[in-house]
PDB file of all heavy atoms in Angstrom:
ATOM      1  N   GLN Y  28       6.742  -4.175  -3.549  1.00 98.00           N
ATOM      2  CA  GLN Y  28       8.148  -4.027  -3.160  1.00 98.00           C
ATOM      3  C   GLN Y  28       8.498  -4.992  -2.030  1.00 98.00           C
ATOM      4  O   GLN Y  28       9.567  -5.618  -2.038  1.00 98.00           O
ATOM      5  CB  GLN Y  28       8.420  -2.588  -2.743  1.00 98.00           C
ATOM      6  CG  GLN Y  28       9.866  -2.293  -2.469  1.00 98.00           C
ATOM      7  CD  GLN Y  28      10.095  -0.821  -2.171  1.00 98.00           C
ATOM      8  OE1 GLN Y  28       9.179  -0.032  -2.003  1.00 98.00           O
ATOM      9  NE2 GLN Y  28      11.352  -0.441  -2.095  1.00 98.00           N
ATOM     10  N   ASN Y  29       7.596  -5.135  -1.073  1.00 98.00           N
ATOM     11  CA  ASN Y  29       7.821  -6.089   0.021  1.00 98.00           C
ATOM     12  C   ASN Y  29       7.938  -7.509  -0.518  1.00 98.00           C
ATOM     13  O   ASN Y  29       8.842  -8.256  -0.119  1.00 98.00           O
ATOM     14  CB  ASN Y  29       6.685  -6.016   1.045  1.00 98.00           C
ATOM     15  CG  ASN Y  29       6.717  -4.756   1.886  1.00 98.00           C
ATOM     16  OD1 ASN Y  29       7.735  -4.087   1.984  1.00 98.00           O
ATOM     17  ND2 ASN Y  29       5.583  -4.424   2.476  1.00 98.00           N
ATOM     18  N   MET Y  30       7.042  -7.879  -1.406  1.00 97.00           N
ATOM     19  CA  MET Y  30       7.061  -9.233  -1.973  1.00 97.00           C
ATOM     20  C   MET Y  30       8.340  -9.471  -2.774  1.00 97.00           C
ATOM     21  O   MET Y  30       8.927 -10.553  -2.700  1.00 97.00           O
ATOM     22  CB  MET Y  30       5.834  -9.464  -2.853  1.00 97.00           C
ATOM     23  CG  MET Y  30       4.533  -9.541  -2.088  1.00 97.00           C
ATOM     24  SD  MET Y  30       4.396 -10.982  -1.040  1.00 97.00           S
ATOM     25  CE  MET Y  30       4.143 -12.247  -2.265  1.00 97.00           C
ATOM     26  N   ALA Y  31       8.757  -8.476  -3.520  1.00 97.00           N
ATOM     27  CA  ALA Y  31       9.961  -8.624  -4.343  1.00 97.00           C
ATOM     28  C   ALA Y  31      11.216  -8.807  -3.485  1.00 97.00           C
ATOM     29  O   ALA Y  31      12.183  -9.422  -3.932  1.00 97.00           O
ATOM     30  CB  ALA Y  31      10.128  -7.409  -5.249  1.00 97.00           C
ATOM     31  N   ASN Y  32      11.197  -8.294  -2.278  1.00 97.00           N
ATOM     32  CA  ASN Y  32      12.358  -8.367  -1.398  1.00 97.00           C
ATOM     33  C   ASN Y  32      12.209  -9.371  -0.261  1.00 97.00           C
ATOM     34  O   ASN Y  32      12.997  -9.356   0.685  1.00 97.00           O
ATOM     35  CB  ASN Y  32      12.654  -6.983  -0.824  1.00 97.00           C
ATOM     36  CG  ASN Y  32      13.219  -6.054  -1.862  1.00 97.00           C
ATOM     37  OD1 ASN Y  32      14.324  -6.244  -2.324  1.00 97.00           O
ATOM     38  ND2 ASN Y  32      12.420  -5.069  -2.277  1.00 97.00           N
ATOM     39  N   ALA Y  33      11.224 -10.250  -0.361  1.00 96.00           N
ATOM     40  CA  ALA Y  33      10.949 -11.209   0.715  1.00 96.00           C
ATOM     41  C   ALA Y  33      12.115 -12.153   0.973  1.00 96.00           C
ATOM     42  O   ALA Y  33      12.224 -12.711   2.060  1.00 96.00           O
ATOM     43  CB  ALA Y  33       9.689 -12.001   0.396  1.00 96.00           C
ATOM     44  N   ASP Y  34      12.991 -12.325  -0.009  1.00 94.00           N
ATOM     45  CA  ASP Y  34      14.136 -13.229   0.159  1.00 94.00           C
ATOM     46  C   ASP Y  34      15.470 -12.485   0.174  1.00 94.00           C
ATOM     47  O   ASP Y  34      16.525 -13.105   0.030  1.00 94.00           O
ATOM     48  CB  ASP Y  34      14.143 -14.268  -0.964  1.00 94.00           C
ATOM     49  CG  ASP Y  34      12.931 -15.177  -0.912  1.00 94.00           C
ATOM     50  OD1 ASP Y  34      12.529 -15.548   0.211  1.00 94.00           O
ATOM     51  OD2 ASP Y  34      12.383 -15.508  -1.977  1.00 94.00           O
ATOM     52  N   SER Y  35      15.428 -11.181   0.331  1.00 94.00           N
ATOM     53  CA  SER Y  35      16.660 -10.382   0.301  1.00 94.00           C
ATOM     54  C   SER Y  35      17.369 -10.434   1.650  1.00 94.00           C
ATOM     55  O   SER Y  35      16.957  -9.783   2.603  1.00 94.00           O
ATOM     56  CB  SER Y  35      16.332  -8.928  -0.066  1.00 94.00           C
ATOM     57  OG  SER Y  35      15.776  -8.860  -1.350  1.00 94.00           O
ATOM     58  N   VAL Y  36      18.419 -11.214   1.698  1.00 94.00           N
ATOM     59  CA  VAL Y  36      19.200 -11.361   2.931  1.00 94.00           C
ATOM     60  C   VAL Y  36      20.510 -10.586   2.776  1.00 94.00           C
ATOM     61  O   VAL Y  36      20.957 -10.316   1.664  1.00 94.00           O
ATOM     62  CB  VAL Y  36      19.481 -12.844   3.250  1.00 94.00           C
ATOM     63  CG1 VAL Y  36      18.188 -13.573   3.574  1.00 94.00           C
ATOM     64  CG2 VAL Y  36      20.210 -13.526   2.114  1.00 94.00           C
ATOM     65  N   PRO Y  37      21.130 -10.234   3.883  1.00 92.00           N
ATOM     66  CA  PRO Y  37      22.387  -9.478   3.789  1.00 92.00           C
ATOM     67  C   PRO Y  37      23.509 -10.334   3.194  1.00 92.00           C
ATOM     68  O   PRO Y  37      23.513 -11.549   3.335  1.00 92.00           O
ATOM     69  CB  PRO Y  37      22.677  -9.110   5.234  1.00 92.00           C
ATOM     70  CG  PRO Y  37      21.939 -10.097   6.056  1.00 92.00           C
ATOM     71  CD  PRO Y  37      20.737 -10.493   5.256  1.00 92.00           C
ATOM     72  N   THR Y  38      24.416  -9.676   2.543  1.00 91.00           N
ATOM     73  CA  THR Y  38      25.557 -10.383   1.942  1.00 91.00           C
ATOM     74  C   THR Y  38      26.829 -10.210   2.767  1.00 91.00           C
ATOM     75  O   THR Y  38      27.853 -10.772   2.433  1.00 91.00           O
ATOM     76  CB  THR Y  38      25.805  -9.882   0.501  1.00 91.00           C
ATOM     77  OG1 THR Y  38      25.987  -8.476   0.534  1.00 91.00           O
ATOM     78  CG2 THR Y  38      24.631 -10.237  -0.397  1.00 91.00           C
ATOM     79  N   GLU Y  39      26.728  -9.407   3.830  1.00 91.00           N
ATOM     80  CA  GLU Y  39      27.869  -9.198   4.715  1.00 91.00           C
ATOM     81  C   GLU Y  39      27.417  -9.385   6.164  1.00 91.00           C
ATOM     82  O   GLU Y  39      26.304  -9.007   6.520  1.00 91.00           O
ATOM     83  CB  GLU Y  39      28.414  -7.775   4.560  1.00 91.00           C
ATOM     84  CG  GLU Y  39      28.938  -7.440   3.188  1.00 91.00           C
ATOM     85  CD  GLU Y  39      29.362  -5.978   3.084  1.00 91.00           C
ATOM     86  OE1 GLU Y  39      29.632  -5.347   4.124  1.00 91.00           O
ATOM     87  OE2 GLU Y  39      29.394  -5.477   1.952  1.00 91.00           O
ATOM     88  N   PRO Y  40      28.270  -9.927   6.997  1.00 89.00           N
ATOM     89  CA  PRO Y  40      27.913 -10.087   8.415  1.00 89.00           C
ATOM     90  C   PRO Y  40      27.628  -8.724   9.064  1.00 89.00           C
ATOM     91  O   PRO Y  40      28.263  -7.725   8.746  1.00 89.00           O
ATOM     92  CB  PRO Y  40      29.157 -10.726   9.035  1.00 89.00           C
ATOM     93  CG  PRO Y  40      29.899 -11.329   7.892  1.00 89.00           C
ATOM     94  CD  PRO Y  40      29.591 -10.481   6.700  1.00 89.00           C
ATOM     95  N   GLY Y  41      26.659  -8.705   9.954  1.00 84.00           N
ATOM     96  CA  GLY Y  41      26.327  -7.483  10.685  1.00 84.00           C
ATOM     97  C   GLY Y  41      25.341  -6.580   9.969  1.00 84.00           C
ATOM     98  O   GLY Y  41      24.853  -5.618  10.544  1.00 84.00           O
ATOM     99  N   LYS Y  42      25.026  -6.858   8.720  1.00 91.00           N
ATOM    100  CA  LYS Y  42      24.062  -6.051   7.965  1.00 91.00           C
ATOM    101  C   LYS Y  42      22.647  -6.588   8.190  1.00 91.00           C
ATOM    102  O   LYS Y  42      22.454  -7.773   8.442  1.00 91.00           O
ATOM    103  CB  LYS Y  42      24.375  -6.084   6.468  1.00 91.00           C
ATOM    104  CG  LYS Y  42      25.737  -5.551   6.107  1.00 91.00           C
ATOM    105  CD  LYS Y  42      25.718  -4.056   6.087  1.00 91.00           C
ATOM    106  CE  LYS Y  42      27.081  -3.565   5.614  1.00 91.00           C
ATOM    107  NZ  LYS Y  42      27.161  -2.175   5.445  1.00 91.00           N
ATOM    108  N   GLU Y  43      21.670  -5.697   8.065  1.00 94.00           N
ATOM    109  CA  GLU Y  43      20.269  -6.107   8.208  1.00 94.00           C
ATOM    110  C   GLU Y  43      19.705  -6.539   6.858  1.00 94.00           C
ATOM    111  O   GLU Y  43      20.082  -5.992   5.821  1.00 94.00           O
ATOM    112  CB  GLU Y  43      19.423  -4.943   8.735  1.00 94.00           C
ATOM    113  CG  GLU Y  43      19.524  -4.709  10.208  1.00 94.00           C
ATOM    114  CD  GLU Y  43      18.427  -3.796  10.727  1.00 94.00           C
ATOM    115  OE1 GLU Y  43      17.683  -3.187   9.919  1.00 94.00           O
ATOM    116  OE2 GLU Y  43      18.316  -3.689  11.954  1.00 94.00           O
ATOM    117  N   PRO Y  44      18.758  -7.475   6.882  1.00 96.00           N
ATOM    118  CA  PRO Y  44      18.069  -7.827   5.643  1.00 96.00           C
ATOM    119  C   PRO Y  44      17.028  -6.755   5.310  1.00 96.00           C
ATOM    120  O   PRO Y  44      16.875  -5.775   6.049  1.00 96.00           O
ATOM    121  CB  PRO Y  44      17.404  -9.156   5.984  1.00 96.00           C
ATOM    122  CG  PRO Y  44      17.139  -9.064   7.440  1.00 96.00           C
ATOM    123  CD  PRO Y  44      18.305  -8.278   8.004  1.00 96.00           C
ATOM    124  N   TYR Y  45      16.319  -6.974   4.231  1.00 97.00           N
ATOM    125  CA  TYR Y  45      15.241  -6.044   3.861  1.00 97.00           C
ATOM    126  C   TYR Y  45      14.233  -5.978   4.991  1.00 97.00           C
ATOM    127  O   TYR Y  45      13.877  -6.993   5.589  1.00 97.00           O
ATOM    128  CB  TYR Y  45      14.559  -6.528   2.575  1.00 97.00           C
ATOM    129  CG  TYR Y  45      13.381  -5.681   2.176  1.00 97.00           C
ATOM    130  CD1 TYR Y  45      13.570  -4.479   1.504  1.00 97.00           C
ATOM    131  CD2 TYR Y  45      12.085  -6.066   2.481  1.00 97.00           C
ATOM    132  CE1 TYR Y  45      12.492  -3.690   1.144  1.00 97.00           C
ATOM    133  CE2 TYR Y  45      11.008  -5.287   2.125  1.00 97.00           C
ATOM    134  CZ  TYR Y  45      11.213  -4.103   1.465  1.00 97.00           C
ATOM    135  OH  TYR Y  45      10.139  -3.316   1.110  1.00 97.00           O
ATOM    136  N   ARG Y  46      13.778  -4.786   5.301  1.00 97.00           N
ATOM    137  CA  ARG Y  46      12.771  -4.583   6.341  1.00 97.00           C
ATOM    138  C   ARG Y  46      11.460  -4.199   5.672  1.00 97.00           C
ATOM    139  O   ARG Y  46      11.408  -3.292   4.852  1.00 97.00           O
ATOM    140  CB  ARG Y  46      13.214  -3.498   7.318  1.00 97.00           C
ATOM    141  CG  ARG Y  46      12.316  -3.398   8.535  1.00 97.00           C
ATOM    142  CD  ARG Y  46      12.877  -2.455   9.573  1.00 97.00           C
ATOM    143  NE  ARG Y  46      13.998  -3.007  10.323  1.00 97.00           N
ATOM    144  CZ  ARG Y  46      13.880  -3.851  11.349  1.00 97.00           C
ATOM    145  NH1 ARG Y  46      12.700  -4.261  11.729  1.00 97.00           N
ATOM    146  NH2 ARG Y  46      14.954  -4.285  11.976  1.00 97.00           N
ATOM    147  N   ARG Y  47      10.412  -4.919   6.006  1.00 98.00           N
ATOM    148  CA  ARG Y  47       9.072  -4.685   5.459  1.00 98.00           C
ATOM    149  C   ARG Y  47       8.654  -3.234   5.653  1.00 98.00           C
ATOM    150  O   ARG Y  47       8.942  -2.626   6.679  1.00 98.00           O
ATOM    151  CB  ARG Y  47       8.083  -5.612   6.168  1.00 98.00           C
ATOM    152  CG  ARG Y  47       6.657  -5.438   5.733  1.00 98.00           C
ATOM    153  CD  ARG Y  47       5.768  -6.447   6.468  1.00 98.00           C
ATOM    154  NE  ARG Y  47       4.429  -6.408   5.962  1.00 98.00           N
ATOM    155  CZ  ARG Y  47       3.395  -5.877   6.622  1.00 98.00           C
ATOM    156  NH1 ARG Y  47       3.556  -5.393   7.832  1.00 98.00           N
ATOM    157  NH2 ARG Y  47       2.203  -5.859   6.073  1.00 98.00           N
ATOM    158  N   GLN Y  48       7.956  -2.700   4.647  1.00 98.00           N
ATOM    159  CA  GLN Y  48       7.452  -1.333   4.727  1.00 98.00           C
ATOM    160  C   GLN Y  48       5.929  -1.353   4.782  1.00 98.00           C
ATOM    161  O   GLN Y  48       5.292  -2.236   4.199  1.00 98.00           O
ATOM    162  CB  GLN Y  48       7.918  -0.541   3.522  1.00 98.00           C
ATOM    163  CG  GLN Y  48       9.428  -0.426   3.460  1.00 98.00           C
ATOM    164  CD  GLN Y  48       9.880   0.405   2.287  1.00 98.00           C
ATOM    165  OE1 GLN Y  48       9.267   1.407   1.950  1.00 98.00           O
ATOM    166  NE2 GLN Y  48      10.956  -0.026   1.647  1.00 98.00           N
ATOM    167  N   VAL Y  49       5.371  -0.367   5.475  1.00 97.00           N
ATOM    168  CA  VAL Y  49       3.925  -0.274   5.652  1.00 97.00           C
ATOM    169  C   VAL Y  49       3.501   1.176   5.422  1.00 97.00           C
ATOM    170  O   VAL Y  49       4.047   2.085   6.049  1.00 97.00           O
ATOM    171  CB  VAL Y  49       3.514  -0.704   7.082  1.00 97.00           C
ATOM    172  CG1 VAL Y  49       2.011  -0.652   7.261  1.00 97.00           C
ATOM    173  CG2 VAL Y  49       4.061  -2.077   7.410  1.00 97.00           C
TER     174      VAL Y  49
END
Side-chain angles (χ1 to χ4, degrees):
Q28 186 175 9
N29 288 341
M30 291 292 287
N32 288 292
D34 296 321
S35 298
V36 294
T38 56
E39 298 176 21
K42 300 280 184 175
E43 281 194 350
Y45 176 81
R46 189 172 285 280
R47 178 178 187 253
Q48 298 182 39
V49 182

